[in-house]
Amino acid sequence: MSIIVQQLRKTYGSQIAVNDISFSIQPGEIVGFLGPNGAGKSTTMKMITGYLAPSAGSIQVCGLPMHIDNTAAKAKIGYLAEANPLYYDMYVKEYLQFIAQVFKVSQASKAVADVIELTGLGIEQHKKKGQLSKGYKQRVGLAAALIHQPEVLILDEPTTGLDPNQIIEIRNLIKSQGQHKTVLFSSHIMQEVQAVCNRVIIINKGQIVADDSLHNLQGNHQKNQVSVVFKESLEAEWLQRLPAVQSVSKKDNVTWQLQTADTTAAKKQVMELALAQDLNIVSLQTGGNNLEEIFRSLTASNQ
């Protein structure tokens, strides 16, 4: 395993940020790490990368225990932090040369040239980082994470600030790196996770609420969800009173997602409700299983 997290916990006084979570990631996996703001994503990533000490639990990176050999474990990791700290007075190429020296990269000049080409920084390499757009600053952070050819990539919101074309480029870069590296990345852009990941971990209130392949997650979720669109607007309580409906969420006043243990009964009761209240159903189907809907249903109490 490239990453092994066991019973990881982080507390700040009486506040529990990460609550006894465990998971492992194999080489070649690209794993999306999702959760609402404040769920514990960035805290977990900081602990995995050795920048934050856990209150309890253990972390191994490429077989190296983080608490025993912090420096050696860190050398296996390329880390793009959410804040992406940069020295704004340094030139792009100069900064990457500095990072290469920190990691004691052999043939540093070639490594810098290669990573500049890989991340599309060629036209910006002679600028100071403070002169760059937010998107190019993000590219510099990604280049710094890649320059020492790490076995593990930890990317916290890697596409923040990028335009649609840049997002596609970074998406393809992550996918190509995932062929021979372990990649764990967080994002609030569900389309990115669906396009890149083969597995998803969802954390809510410091605890893991889902950990499965994207295919299985979507398939399991489809079995207990009904999507309904009405022509008219209605009150949520009408749907909440249906015996087969466990919970209700809405996209707008006419589009609803219903959690249920019995989709057949739920659909029948929705049709009976429409008939009794003189409502017109535009669409009624089992599923509605895109990642955004799965995420909302698993973290609804945190919204």
Side-chain angles (χ1 to χ4, degrees):
M1 293 292 178
S2 292
I3 300 173
I4 300 176
V5 171
Q6 293 181 312
Q7 297 179 307
L8 195 62
R9 184 177 178 90
K10 184 63 180 178
T11 58
Y12 298 95
S14 61
Q15 180 183 358
I16 302 174
V18 176
N19 190 7
D20 195 30
I21 68 171
S22 299
F23 61 86
S24 59
I25 305 177
Q26 300 182 40
E29 278 195 288
I30 303 177
V31 179
F33 194 42
L34 310 180
N37 290 331
K41 300 188 305 298
S42 293
T43 299
T44 300
M45 288 177 139
K46 288 176 182 176
M47 288 190 285
I48 293 172
T49 53
Y51 288 90
L52 189 64
S55 302
S58 65
I59 301 162
Q60 288 188 36
V61 177
C62 300
L64 299 171
M66 185 62 71
H67 67 287
I68 294 175
D69 199 346
N70 184 288
T71 302
K74 280 184 176 182
K76 300 288 186 179
I77 299 171
Y79 178 39
L80 175 61
E82 183 180 18
N84 190 14
L86 299 171
Y87 298 108
Y88 283 178
D89 287 335
M90 294 183 73
Y91 293 94
V92 170
K93 189 172 182 179
E94 177 190 15
Y95 173 70
L96 293 175
Q97 289 169 338
F98 166 68
I99 296 298
Q101 291 172 358
V102 169
F103 282 103
K104 300 178 181 178
V105 175
S106 61
Q107 298 183 313
S109 296
K110 183 180 185 303
V112 169
D114 288 346
V115 82
I116 283 174
E117 181 179 358
L118 185 66
T119 54
L121 284 167
I123 61 174
E124 306 290 342
Q125 62 181 305
H126 299 298
K127 288 184 179 180
K128 288 186 176 182
K129 292 198 298 299
Q131 298 174 307
L132 301 180
S133 68
K134 187 175 182 180
Y136 274 105
K137 289 174 183 174
Q138 200 72 350
R139 286 174 183 243
V140 173
L142 187 55
L146 289 167
I147 197 165
H148 60 297
Q149 291 295 319
E151 296 177 41
V152 173
L153 276 179
I154 308 291
L155 309 175
D156 200 351
E157 300 289 344
T159 57
T160 297
L162 302 185
D163 65 37
N165 291 330
Q166 292 172 329
I167 287 175
I168 292 173
E169 291 172 5
I170 298 303
R171 174 197 301 173
N172 292 335
L173 176 58
I174 292 171
K175 289 174 73 173
S176 67
Q177 292 295 309
Q179 294 176 10
H180 50 87
K181 299 184 191 300
T182 300
V183 181
L184 177 68
F185 83 98
S186 71
S187 178
H188 285 105
I189 305 173
M190 298 298 161
Q191 296 92 331
E192 285 307 297
V193 177
Q194 285 187 282
V196 173
C197 294
N198 44 36
R199 176 180 162 200
V200 173
I201 298 173
I202 301 177
I203 187 171
N204 188 38
K205 297 182 179 179
Q207 295 183 307
I208 291 175
V209 294
D211 180 359
D212 209 338
S213 69
L214 188 57
H215 175 77
N216 287 344
L217 199 59
Q218 289 174 315
N220 292 336
H221 190 74
Q222 186 175 19
K223 295 175 184 176
N224 60 5
Q225 189 175 84
V226 170
S227 175
V228 58
V229 180
F230 294 95
K231 187 175 181 179
E232 303 84 6
S233 62
L234 71 156
E235 298 295 327
E237 61 185 41
W238 290 8
L239 295 167
Q240 290 169 341
R241 286 199 296 260
L242 299 178
V245 173
Q246 297 170 331
S247 65
V248 174
S249 61
K250 68 175 180 178
K251 292 184 176 180
D252 51 54
N253 287 334
V254 296
T255 306
W256 302 85
Q257 302 293 339
L258 314 179
Q259 290 297 123
T260 176
D262 187 340
T263 55
T264 301
K267 288 196 288 186
K268 180 180 178 182
Q269 290 166 17
V270 167
M271 289 187 287
E272 291 171 346
L273 170 67
L275 183 62
Q277 299 296 331
D278 197 24
L279 299 170
N280 294 288
I281 296 176
V282 177
S283 171
L284 177 62
Q285 58 186 341
T286 302
N289 61 336
N290 67 55
L291 187 56
E292 181 179 351
E293 291 162 354
I294 296 170
F295 178 86
R296 284 172 58 84
S297 71
L298 291 171
T299 62
S301 62
N302 206 51
Q303 302 300 308

